[in-house]
Amino acid sequence: MLPIAVDAMGGDHAPSAIVAGAVRAARAGIPVCLVGDPERLRIGPGWPATLTVEPARDTIEMDERPIAVRARPDTSVRRTMAMVAAGRASAAVSCGHTGAILLAAVLELGTMDGVERPALATVLPRRDRGRLFLLDAGANVDCRPELLVSFARLGAAYACSEGVERPRIGLLSNGEEERKGNQQVRATLPLLRASGLHVVGPVEPTSALAGACDVVVCDGFVGNVFLKAAEGAVDTVVGLLREEILRYRTGRIGAFLLRGALRRFRRRAAWESTGGALLLGTRGTVVVGHGRARAPAVENAIRTAAQFARAGRLDALRHYLHR
Amino acid sequence: MLPIAVDAMGGDHAPSAIVAGAVRAARAGIPVCLVGDPERLRIGPGWPATLTVEPARDTIEMDERPIAVRARPDTSVRRTMAMVAAGRASAAVSCGHTGAILLAAVLELGTMDGVERPALATVLPRRDRGRLFLLDAGANVDCRPELLVSFARLGAAYACSEGVERPRIGLLSNGEEERKGNQQVRATLPLLRASGLHVVGPVEPTSALAGACDVVVCDGFVGNVFLKAAEGAVDTVVGLLREEILRYRTGRIGAFLLRGALRRFRRRAAWESTGGALLLGTRGTVVVGHGRARAPAVENAIRTAAQFARAGRLDALRHYLHR
């Protein structure tokens, strides 16, 4: 198997957390190629043989504008994408800033036929045990209605490639009534209804998470708020639960007996550990990790990329997009 | 104490759920006046004496446009507001549609000096045990930057009136960096910084819920997505937890010992039961309940209104807004 190319310099805790996550993934049998400054990525004695380094002497800092990648082909994020484009890696992973990753991917990999701009897609657990495919989760803001319709097509193809038959598409809104929504939503709805996709109409976050649709489409600004509000609310609730449990002795005994359930619960509810979002619509598999990712989250993002690449999902996605 | 005027005809489960909630509140000692179709609101033999009825022969249906209230002064939502305006009720409660409530409140009560449009404010629990004042939570969409600044002023005054000293204001965005955000956020930030308020800058939902600010300001479309994504995520997580707990016998024993903690947790985490959002900036206390409210949520909305009215918070809010 070709290695997963990992941008070692992108993310709040790069390169240390990225390297640590890559070592974990490599030990678990996934070949990984770290892309970055070779001075800061010297292979240590304990590194697994499945971990290699590809030099990239330039780095995009978190406070730079994404457009900066355009003139700098030797940045780690562009070299990461270039490895996939050259057939030297099976997928790319970066925890750097989303805008720079998007632009680097477009420059090095190009977009699929008929795709104007790639979208960031993330998968959330639904209350009915299904999965909610949310896009755009933060790659494009202030989108035209036509762009939202193309996100719906990408999302439908993604859901199909993941085994969802005839995915139901919802347009994120502040109410289920047609006359609700902002200008963007009201302008998009008729176009979406005319798209030939299985459109259920405007949906609210609550009903989407309860199972009203399989794919929820929105502007990247709004999608990012959706994702992070859900994440933040879960963190708050888990914190409250811990406090309540530790308050009394019966609670602590109960918690001891419950520890298995709580552990599984944490795993299922840990939105962050799901391993990053997929950039859909480029000619290659690109996983965008959380900017704040530590080693376990980096490892998960690499696992996500490897699974996607191994299963040939990109071909399936292309197939469903163009049929 | 003057009664709380309650729009008996607004909401998905009106009038039955509204009446049931009003009966509960009245039994708990809060005088309530139900406003609506007298044919459908006949006082039953078991009704407490503190529950009265004010006739309003017209009703705005959920699928009507909010603007319809303009020409129809005899709708239940307008009569509810009119009771407050006439000094016959201390506060108004409605679970009808937000747009209609907003317009009815502006028509009957008017806005406070310097307020162009009222905003819907809601309070969320933060991870650091503080409270997050979120506005606009859904009353105004596609807001101009100046409107967002006025929401910040209203939110700051609200937080002050609730005892928060020098509230920290965050502008909701998809990243903490200044160059992130959509056009609306980027246009608002300089105006907000020049407002004299204590502005911390752009904030993400995760950091806002973790305690990075006291007041988070946003467009009503985005604020509604924030609120409902948080609500939906909490519902999903509580559902997962229940499943995990019931899976094994030790889990069930543990859950028995934990039942006190779980009950308190449910109460603290039940975002819906917090009792509705406050419409800020009108010359009267107006509480907007959840459209899907059942009797307990209606009772809570009435309690919220009564507490606010009793404590003279509206005067405090006006004081902080104009000092």
Side-chain angles (χ1 to χ4, degrees):
Chain A
M1 188 201 175
L2 285 170
I4 308 297
V6 177
D7 174 7
M9 316 308 284
D12 296 349
H13 308 294
S16 59
I18 312 296
V19 171
V23 168
R24 291 168 70 136
R27 288 220 172 99
I30 302 171
V32 175
C33 179
L34 280 167
V35 184
D37 184 352
E39 294 296 308
R40 299 175 67 188
L41 299 173
R42 268 184 237 274
I43 293 188
W47 281 26
T50 44
L51 187 64
T52 53
V53 169
E54 171 85 3
R57 273 153 229 287
D58 195 1
T59 300
I60 294 284
E61 303 298 335
M62 285 308 265
D63 58 352
E64 287 189 89
R65 292 166 59 89
I67 195 81
V69 300
R70 190 180 284 276
R72 286 154 62 184
D74 202 25
T75 47
S76 60
V77 66
R78 278 192 64 175
R79 287 266 176 247
T80 302
M81 303 301 163
M83 283 191 72
V84 178
R88 295 176 54 218
S90 56
V93 172
S94 177
C95 302
H97 58 52
T98 313
I101 299 169
L102 172 68
L103 190 52
V106 170
L107 289 168
E108 298 290 348
L109 296 163
T111 53
M112 287 180 180
D113 289 337
V115 174
E116 188 189 328
R117 287 178 72 89
L120 200 61
T122 187
V123 186
L124 301 178
R126 286 191 331 225
R127 213 169 58 198
D128 64 347
R129 299 176 138 267
R131 288 179 301 164
L132 180 66
F133 298 82
L134 168 77
L135 75 171
D136 182 25
N140 309 278
V141 304
D142 295 318
C143 299
R144 284 174 297 111
E146 293 78 12
L147 207 51
L148 292 185
V149 175
S150 85
F151 295 166
R153 287 190 201 287
L154 280 170
Y158 183 25
C160 285
S161 76
E162 292 273 325
V164 180
E165 278 179 51
R166 209 164 169 254
R168 297 160 302 151
I169 316 288
L171 181 62
L172 191 65
S173 189
N174 58 336
E176 322 266 284
E177 301 92 353
E178 300 273 325
R179 51 159 193 75
K180 285 227 180 183
N182 57 9
Q183 287 174 14
Q184 187 187 46
V185 165
R186 288 193 301 263
T188 303
L189 200 56
L191 301 186
L192 196 58
R193 289 210 189 276
S195 68
L197 294 165
H198 180 23
V199 176
V200 295
V203 295
E204 295 177 291
T206 26
S207 59
L209 285 167
C213 60
D214 302 297
V215 177
V216 64
V217 176
C218 56
D219 183 276
F221 182 86
V222 179
N224 201 260
V225 166
F226 186 139
L227 191 63
K228 288 177 181 160
E231 233 180 78
V234 170
D235 284 353
T236 302
V237 158
V238 170
L240 289 179
L241 183 64
R242 187 170 302 134
E243 260 178 45
E244 289 297 342
I245 284 175
L246 295 178
R247 189 173 290 181
Y248 299 102
R249 200 152 64 102
T250 53
R252 286 193 295 269
I253 297 168
F256 178 74
L257 294 170
L258 262 178
R259 69 200 182 286
L262 287 173
R263 204 182 317 117
R264 286 191 305 279
F265 160 73
R266 260 206 301 276
R267 204 155 43 217
R268 288 174 65 185
W271 308 58
E272 250 192 74
S273 76
T274 49
L278 214 58
L279 193 66
L280 295 181
T282 63
R283 295 175 187 271
T285 300
V286 179
V287 171
V288 179
H290 209 294
R292 296 192 199 109
R294 303 263 179 195
V298 173
E299 181 192 354
N300 278 327
I302 296 171
R303 281 178 186 277
T304 302
Q307 274 159 20
F308 203 86
R310 221 177 261 153
R313 296 262 184 79
L314 197 66
D315 291 331
L317 182 75
R318 195 182 285 117
H319 164 76
Y320 286 110
L321 190 62
H322 295 137
R323 71 165 171 186
Chain B
M1 188 197 173
L2 285 170
I4 308 297
V6 176
D7 174 7
M9 315 309 282
D12 296 348
H13 309 294
S16 60
I18 312 295
V19 171
V23 168
R24 291 168 70 136
R27 287 217 174 103
I30 302 172
V32 175
C33 178
L34 280 167
V35 184
D37 184 352
E39 293 296 306
R40 299 175 67 188
L41 298 174
R42 267 184 238 274
I43 292 187
W47 282 25
T50 44
L51 187 63
T52 53
V53 168
E54 170 84 3
R57 273 152 228 287
D58 194 2
T59 299
I60 292 286
E61 302 298 335
M62 283 310 263
D63 57 353
E64 286 189 271
R65 293 165 57 89
I67 196 80
V69 299
R70 190 180 286 275
R72 286 154 62 185
D74 201 26
T75 47
S76 60
V77 65
R78 278 191 66 174
R79 286 267 177 247
T80 303
M81 303 302 164
M83 283 191 72
V84 179
R88 295 177 53 220
S90 56
V93 172
S94 177
C95 301
H97 58 54
T98 313
I101 298 169
L102 172 68
L103 191 51
V106 169
L107 288 169
E108 298 290 347
L109 296 163
T111 53
M112 286 181 180
D113 289 337
V115 173
E116 188 189 328
R117 286 178 73 87
L120 200 60
T122 185
V123 185
L124 302 176
R126 288 192 330 226
R127 214 168 58 199
D128 65 346
R129 299 173 139 269
R131 288 180 301 165
L132 181 65
F133 298 82
L134 169 76
L135 76 169
D136 180 28
N140 308 277
V141 305
D142 296 317
C143 299
R144 284 173 297 109
E146 292 77 14
L147 208 50
L148 293 185
V149 175
S150 86
F151 296 166
R153 286 190 202 287
L154 279 169
Y158 183 24
C160 284
S161 77
E162 292 274 324
V164 180
E165 278 180 50
R166 210 165 166 253
R168 296 159 302 151
I169 316 288
L171 181 63
L172 191 65
S173 188
N174 59 336
E176 321 267 283
E177 301 91 354
E178 300 273 324
R179 50 160 192 74
K180 287 228 178 179
N182 57 9
Q183 286 173 14
Q184 186 186 47
V185 165
R186 287 194 300 264
T188 304
L189 200 55
L191 301 187
L192 196 58
R193 289 210 189 276
S195 67
L197 294 165
H198 180 21
V199 175
V200 296
V203 295
E204 296 176 290
T206 27
S207 58
L209 286 167
C213 60
D214 301 298
V215 177
V216 63
V217 175
C218 56
D219 183 276
F221 182 86
V222 178
N224 202 260
V225 166
F226 185 140
L227 192 62
K228 288 177 182 160
E231 232 179 80
V234 170
D235 284 353
T236 303
V237 157
V238 170
L240 289 178
L241 183 64
R242 187 170 301 133
E243 260 178 44
E244 290 296 341
I245 283 176
L246 295 178
R247 189 174 289 183
Y248 299 102
R249 199 153 63 103
T250 53
R252 287 194 294 269
I253 298 169
F256 178 75
L257 294 172
L258 262 178
R259 69 201 184 285
L262 287 173
R263 202 181 318 119
R264 285 191 306 278
F265 160 74
R266 259 206 301 277
R267 206 155 42 214
R268 288 175 63 186
W271 308 59
E272 250 192 74
S273 75
T274 49
L278 213 59
L279 193 65
L280 296 182
T282 62
R283 295 175 188 269
T285 299
V286 179
V287 171
V288 180
H290 210 293
R292 297 194 199 108
R294 303 262 180 197
V298 174
E299 182 193 354
N300 278 326
I302 297 171
R303 281 178 186 276
T304 301
Q307 273 158 22
F308 203 86
R310 220 176 263 153
R313 295 261 183 79
L314 196 68
D315 291 330
L317 183 75
R318 194 183 285 119
H319 164 76
Y320 286 110
L321 189 63
H322 295 137
R323 72 167 169 184

